[in-house]
């Protein structure tokens, strides 16, 4: 009796788990808003051509959305998660998503979620900077709330150890290989001096010339908001040079260099550094997994009219 009851509840659980992701589909808007994907793509291309860094910023925005109560656009709600410690003064791209949303509302009213727009914009950003493409499952709905404490607890920080990073990603059902592949996003974009100051003055697993070159724009005191490229070799190209940098002890963040520090993830870094196709394949697989974290579907949440606030 007990055995069959728990067997039945296992079947129900598995069925429920399948339903959630089975409701995401790449063709979700094909009849309800056939121009949605093209509109997002042209919005992203325009934003990246006037500000190259925007490609990086949109990719990071998607990551910071998905790691906090799933990919539900909670990060876009004004004055909430945006002010959490890992985000305040560093997330960018809200106005790009708002503007794409306005264009999409004009062609298909209250049909396309902000969570889907951000997920597709992240893919289009990678493509705009020369990276791989992939098919994005769609049908996410937008949250009714945000979660500031979860943003503070679940987003990994630049001083994280390798095991901290592994734990933070495992909590989202992402593997260590997924984590190493997704960290390859640091092949584009910039970081503020305050996030790598300790590394360039105090750490020993850093190339000396590299550390010296960063110090003038990141002095021991002050300058915390000054920017440096995360990939100092090919800053604006989505490629696998991030991993080559790590092998030369030229990771900008502490949390980058821990992936190649004479430890268990070294071989994955070597593989991605020497084999661009292996990196592209692992990155796209992991992006799809990250994009599928805890989606709201069916009647959960809502389709926001404006991405920065819930519908009144
Ligand atoms: C592994 C754990 C990670 C840590 C500790 C981390 C940390 C950081 C930090 C501290 C910055 C600089 C923020 C600033 O100074 O304003 C940054 C930037 C960035 N991160 Fe990560 N990150 C991680 C993973 C990821 C992932 C998974 C992605 C996307 C798939 C990503 C994409 C980016 C991008 C593209 C930028 C540059 C953003 C811009 O220029 O606006 N990061 N990250
Ligand atoms: C966010 O940053 C702004 C500007 O630096 C600051 O005034 C504000 O207190 C910060 N908010 C939080 C919650 O830390
Ligand atoms: C991870 O997977 C477990 C088991 O399927 C599930 O209960 C949990 O909600 C998942 N976590 C996330 C963040 O998706
Ligand atoms: C480096 O280490 C010293 C000694 O522990 C410490 O005082 C300093 O704040 C650290 N950071 C920098 C940027 O020098
Ligand atoms: C790497 O780790 C091994 C085993 O812990 C150690 O013998 C070796 O000296 C380390 N090499 C470097 C470059 O730190």
């Amino acid at each position: 009796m007990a055995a069959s009851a728990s067997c039945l509840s296992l079947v129900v659980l598995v069925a429920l788990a399948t339903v959630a992701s089975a409701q995401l589909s790449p063709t979700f808007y094909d009849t309800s808003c056939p121009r949605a994907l093209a509109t997002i793509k042209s919005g992203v291309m325009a934003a990246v051509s006037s500000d190259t860094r925007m490609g990086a910023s949109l990719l990071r925005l998607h990551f910071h959305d998905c790691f906090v109560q799933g990919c539900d656009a909670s990060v876009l709600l004004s004055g909430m998660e945006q002010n959490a410690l890992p985000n305040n003064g560093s997330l960018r791209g809200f106005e790009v998503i708002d503007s794409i949303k306005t264009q999409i509302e004009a062609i298909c009213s209250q049909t396309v979620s902000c969570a889907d727009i951000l997920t597709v914009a992240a893919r289009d950003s990678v493509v705009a900077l020369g990276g791989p493409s992939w098919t994005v499952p769609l049908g996410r709905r937008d949250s009714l709330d945000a979660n500031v404490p979860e943003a503070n607890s679940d987003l990994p920080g630049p001083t994280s150890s390798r095991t901290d990073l592994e734990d933070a990603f495992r909590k989202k059902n992402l593997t260590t290989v997924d984590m190493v592949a997704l960290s390859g996003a640091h092949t584009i974009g910039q970081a503020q001096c305050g996030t790598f100051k300790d590394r360039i003055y105090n750490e020993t697993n850093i190339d000396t010339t590299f550390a010296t070159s960063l110090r003038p724009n990141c002095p021991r005191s002050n300058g915390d908001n000054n920017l440096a490229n995360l990939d100092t070799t090919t800053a604006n190209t989505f490629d696998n040079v991030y991993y080559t940098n790590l092998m030369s002890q030229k990771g900008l963040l502490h949390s980058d260099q821990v992936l190649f520090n004479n430890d268990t993830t070294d071989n994955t870094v070597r593989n991605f550094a020497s084999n661009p196709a292996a990196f592209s394949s692992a990155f796209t697989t992991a992006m799809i997994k990250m994009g599928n974290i805890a989606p709201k579907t069916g009647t959960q949440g809502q389709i926001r009219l404006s991405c920065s606030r819930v519908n009144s």
Side-chain angles (χ1 to χ4, degrees):
M1 179 62 193
S4 69
S6 68
C7 187
L8 179 64
S9 58
L10 182 66
V11 168
V12 170
L13 273 177
V14 169
L16 284 173
T18 316
V19 166
S21 58
Q23 283 176 352
L24 294 184
S25 151
T27 60
F28 194 81
Y29 298 114
D30 279 9
T31 50
S32 62
C33 193
R35 284 159 62 203
L37 295 186
T39 306
I40 299 169
K41 173 147 279 173
S42 65
V44 169
M45 294 306 262
V48 173
S49 66
S50 68
D51 170 14
T52 309
R53 187 186 174 198
M54 192 49 71
S57 304
L58 293 171
L59 177 57
R60 182 170 187 240
L61 201 50
H62 173 57
F63 161 50
H64 282 216
D65 182 28
C66 295
F67 263 51
V68 183
Q69 68 181 21
C71 314
D72 61 357
S74 58
V75 74
L76 302 178
L77 293 174
S78 68
M80 311 286 280
E81 290 169 23
Q82 298 171 355
N83 299 332
L85 214 60
N87 294 336
N88 195 18
S90 84
L91 279 187
R92 304 171 76 242
F94 299 106
E95 68 293 345
V96 173
I97 298 299
D98 285 340
S99 144
I100 292 172
K101 174 66 171 175
T102 303
Q103 291 177 52
I104 290 190
E105 281 303 306
I107 57 171
C108 317
S109 174
Q110 216 168 349
T111 304
V112 183
S113 69
C114 298
D116 278 342
I117 292 173
L118 182 52
T119 308
V120 173
R123 187 272 314 271
D124 292 345
S125 293
V126 170
V127 172
L129 296 175
S133 190
W134 62 93
T135 302
V136 179
L138 298 166
R140 295 165 193 78
R141 291 170 63 85
D142 300 325
S143 70
L144 300 173
D145 56 6
N147 194 329
V148 177
E150 193 179 330
N152 282 315
S153 61
D154 285 19
L155 289 166
T159 61
S160 301
S161 67
R162 180 182 50 79
T163 54
D164 288 343
L165 298 175
E166 289 179 313
D167 291 347
F169 280 69
R170 190 181 307 109
K171 189 169 176 186
K172 307 298 172 185
N173 293 335
L174 297 169
T175 65
T176 297
V177 171
D178 294 331
M179 184 272 286
V180 176
L182 289 169
S183 295
H186 290 176
T187 178
I188 52 174
Q190 300 184 315
Q192 299 175 55
C193 159
T195 67
F196 58 83
K197 185 177 283 191
D198 215 56
R199 171 155 170 74
I200 63 173
Y201 287 100
N202 280 345
E203 296 193 351
T204 52
N205 61 348
I206 187 167
D207 177 85
T208 312
T209 310
F210 176 67
T212 307
S213 70
L214 291 161
R215 287 175 192 161
N217 198 39
C218 187
R220 262 186 207 277
S221 48
N222 305 320
D224 277 8
N225 300 327
N226 297 351
L227 295 168
N229 293 327
L230 281 155
D231 170 356
T232 42
T233 314
T234 55
N236 296 320
T237 310
F238 196 100
D239 55 21
N240 65 334
V241 171
Y242 169 80
Y243 299 100
T244 319
N245 292 340
L246 296 185
M247 290 178 65
S248 336
Q249 303 204 308
K250 291 178 183 168
L252 184 64
L253 306 178
H254 174 86
S255 56
D256 291 321
Q257 197 59 55
V258 294
L259 304 180
F260 191 86
N261 193 34
N262 197 20
D263 217 321
T264 50
T265 49
D266 285 19
N267 280 335
T268 307
V269 170
R270 282 191 194 94
N271 181 31
F272 292 163
S274 64
N275 188 344
F279 167 55
S280 288
S281 161
F283 181 79
T284 57
T285 298
M287 282 298 290
I288 293 167
K289 281 170 79 172
M290 185 170 82
N292 290 352
I293 296 173
K296 294 180 169 61
T297 56
T299 56
Q300 297 173 311
Q302 63 180 195
I303 305 297
R304 280 183 215 146
L305 289 162
S306 161
C307 293
S308 58
R309 55 184 179 273
V310 298
N311 301 337
S312 50

